[in-house]
Amino acid sequence: MSTTTHATRPTQVFQPTRAVPILLFLFVFSLVLDNGFKFMSPALAQNLNLPVNTVSLQATLTGILIGIGAVVYAALADSISIRKLIIFAILVMTIGSIIGFIFQTNFLLILVGRLIQTAGLAAAETLYVIYVTKHFRGDEQKKYLGFSTAAFQLSLLIGTVGSGFIATYIGWAAFFLVTLLSLLTIPVVLRTVRAEATNEGHVDVFGLFLIAVFATGIILFMQNFNLWYLMPVVAGLILFIWHIRTHENAVITIAFFANAQYSLMIIVVFVIYSVQLGYTFLFPFLVSDIYGFNLGEVSLLLIPGYIAAVIVGSATGKIARVLTSKQAITTALIVIIASMLIPALVVDKWIGIFVISMILFGMGFALMYGPLVSTAIGRVPVENSGIAIGFYNLTINIAVPIGIAYTAALMNLKPNLLGGIAGTDQAASYGTVLLILAAVAALGLVLYRAFVAVLERQGERAPAPVTN
């Protein structure tokens, strides 16, 4: 009787580093798509013969969805493996893109496609951060989380330049087809991202729904200033306050807002970050209309600004040795204000002023990010820091589309406060919008300094030093 001996396979040791490249690629890829479509708004407006504030919906409503989607995916990651969530997100992103491409002549269906696409791409950033924090510790964790900052700036650069050239030389709708490349990553995800055991999770669906109602109502109100849209804004806000006061499993509890340092900084974050993509949305329209540049040429003007932001963001550790958080945030806000105020007065005089403007603008936000986060969560208990950062990022993702919405509304109104200073009426109108954006940033600076003064008088802990 013969016997067969089977060799025992050695158990493969799990190496979490194997999944980092593909997760980081999907992170960059998803943000490239989102930022690219925001930048291509002028091409959509021209091709579909639509007003700016209507076209802006594909940037504003998707922005809200990204913020809410990030919270949802973070909660689902407790009960569903990251591998399954990523594959699901890739398929959803692809379906939305196909819809957008097929119905490229119908803006309503384009908007539906963008919303479905965004429901998928919202997963990438959140799941990458969750994966890194789950599988790495200490310096290794800091290293891989640092990659996410660089990835964000890289996605802005690639998305802006890539979409600009595709819109100019191929056609804006072709950018939808770029999403199909993500299907090629599924085999790599299956091979490198381990299917892990999960726990029971919870998603505050009702709380997130109320946030969506509130933010969408504000954006729709800014479309044509119809007072009826303020009804869901007020109702959503009242119900959200009731919800977080009476439900322990709410997306955030009322206790967070009892923390004066956190709640006051959240107000500053909302005001300041509404300006960030407001100016970025305005920029291609302004340069195209005033100087006659196509989107491909406009995108090249933004490259120095993104590179400067990457350099400043990478140097936050060294900056921390020189500036405190208070000094860094104040300096950053002054730079941001100047980056819009100066070109507002010389809109049609020299194109180079806008390259300098975007360099200052990018540097200001890169300098501000680290110290503003550390200031906001400076008095939040360690066990609640994850929730606090999640709501902080959600606030940014709500502020950004609202900023795009009020910028688009201003562009549609064509205000003129600079007659006699700027040249043509068109230049004066764009200059006025820039002036208003600078005023919003100045409001953020005033609020920040006032809030810090109040906190210091109350004996609360002063802002912590700048951290990475």
Side-chain angles (χ1 to χ4, degrees), residues 89-403:
I90 290 172
L91 295 176
V92 171
M93 186 166 59
T94 302
I95 291 170
S97 298
I98 292 173
I99 291 172
F101 180 77
I102 292 175
F103 300 103
Q104 59 186 269
T105 58
N106 185 317
F107 181 71
L108 181 59
L109 292 176
I110 290 171
L111 184 59
V112 170
R114 281 280 288 130
L115 290 171
I116 295 173
Q117 178 197 63
T118 302
L121 63 84
E125 180 178 1
T126 297
L127 295 180
Y128 173 78
V129 173
I130 290 173
Y131 184 87
V132 169
T133 54
K134 184 175 182 180
H135 293 293
F136 300 99
R137 294 291 181 271
D139 291 341
E140 204 170 29
Q141 185 185 90
K142 291 179 183 177
K143 178 178 73 173
Y144 290 122
L145 287 177
F147 287 169
S148 68
T149 303
F152 177 76
Q153 296 297 335
L154 183 63
S155 70
L156 289 176
L157 175 60
I158 298 173
T160 299
V161 176
S163 65
F165 274 84
I166 287 175
T168 301
Y169 300 108
I170 300 176
W172 66 267
F175 201 61
F176 275 119
L177 298 181
V178 174
T179 313
L180 300 180
L181 295 174
S182 65
L183 295 173
L184 301 177
T185 67
I186 291 179
V188 184
V189 170
L190 291 172
R191 191 167 60 249
T192 60
V193 183
R194 189 172 68 170
E196 300 170 310
T198 54
N199 304 313
E200 184 178 352
H202 168 75
V203 179
D204 180 17
V205 176
F206 186 60
L208 293 171
F209 169 75
L210 293 175
I211 291 173
V213 169
F214 171 79
T216 304
I218 291 178
I219 287 172
L220 293 177
F221 170 72
M222 290 177 180
Q223 293 296 109
N224 56 13
F225 298 100
N226 187 331
L227 293 177
W228 286 106
Y229 287 126
L230 291 181
M231 293 180 64
V233 173
V234 174
L237 182 60
I238 292 172
L239 287 172
F240 182 73
I241 293 172
W242 165 79
H243 180 67
I244 64 176
R245 287 177 65 93
T246 57
H247 293 77
E248 293 182 358
N249 291 326
V251 62
I252 195 167
T253 64
I254 197 68
F256 275 96
F257 299 102
N259 181 324
Q261 186 159 314
Y262 181 77
S263 57
L264 291 177
M265 288 305 114
I266 283 292
I267 295 172
V268 174
V269 167
F270 183 84
V271 173
I272 292 301
Y273 277 92
S274 73
V275 173
Q276 188 182 34
L277 281 189
Y279 185 18
T280 305
F281 179 82
L282 168 76
F283 190 83
F285 286 97
L286 187 157
V287 176
S288 296
D289 289 344
I290 301 298
Y291 293 95
F293 283 33
N294 62 45
L295 279 180
E297 294 167 333
V298 173
S299 67
L300 296 178
L301 299 179
L302 294 169
I303 293 177
Y306 290 134
I307 293 174
V310 171
I311 294 172
V312 172
S314 303
T316 52
K318 295 180 180 178
I319 295 172
R321 301 169 193 164
V322 181
L323 301 176
T324 65
S325 281
K326 184 177 179 180
Q327 292 168 335
I329 294 170
T330 301
T331 302
L333 288 172
I334 291 172
V335 170
I336 290 169
I337 294 166
S339 72
M340 294 179 286
L341 182 59
I342 295 172
L345 303 176
V346 290
V347 169
D348 57 352
K349 299 296 188 273
W350 179 46
I351 188 64
I353 197 67
F354 287 98
V355 177
I356 297 171
S357 169
M358 276 298 177
I359 290 173
L360 294 174
F361 193 74
M363 290 172 63
F365 274 98
L367 175 61
M368 183 180 65
Y369 180 79
L372 193 53
V373 171
S374 64
T375 300
I377 66 171
R379 293 182 61 82
V380 173
V382 175
E383 62 271 19
N384 293 329
S385 60
I387 299 173
I389 291 175
F391 192 79
Y392 181 99
N393 288 332
L394 179 60
T395 301
I396 291 176
N397 282 304
I398 297 298
V400 162
I402 287 176

Side-chain angles (χ1 to χ4, degrees), residues 23 26 82-91 127 189 193:
L23 294 179
L26 288 170
I82 288 177
R83 182 166 76 173
K84 289 180 180 178
L85 288 175
I86 290 171
I87 293 173
F88 170 79
I90 290 172
L91 295 176
L127 295 180
V189 170
V193 183

